[in-house]
Amino acid sequence: MPADPIGRFLAALDPDHREAVSGRPRAEQERLAAAWERELESDDELDTLDELSPPAAEAEAARRVMNREA
């Protein structure tokens, strides 16, 4: 698993979004990864999911961030 926030965010994305975000400028990737980390930290619902399945919680947070971007 990637250690840097951008790598972790990209790993949590579905393949289509991963490809789209990979093509964006580094600053945009950093902004999205920061939004993803805030989503993971701030949502109690994701805390519960994280206890059951950390990858599922990360994927859900990534989905939410990308939905807000649309």
Side-chain angles (χ1 to χ4, degrees), residues 11-61:
L13 289 169
D14 64 73
D16 291 336
H17 283 123
R18 185 177 309 122
E19 184 176 324
V21 172
S22 293
R24 293 184 183 185
R26 177 81 178 176
E28 180 72 8
Q29 292 178 14
E30 289 172 350
R31 185 185 67 76
L32 291 169
W36 172 73
E37 287 184 320
R38 285 191 302 274
E39 184 74 24
L40 282 170
E41 292 170 1
S42 67
D43 192 307
D44 292 338
E45 191 177 291
L46 290 175
D47 285 343
T48 302
L49 181 58
D50 188 51
E51 290 178 16
L52 299 172
S53 174
E58 291 181 352
E60 176 60 18

Side-chain angles (χ1 to χ4, degrees), residues 52-67:
L52 299 172
S53 174
E58 291 181 352
E60 176 60 18
R63 185 189 64 75
R64 292 177 184 183
V65 167
M66 295 310 296
N67 283 345

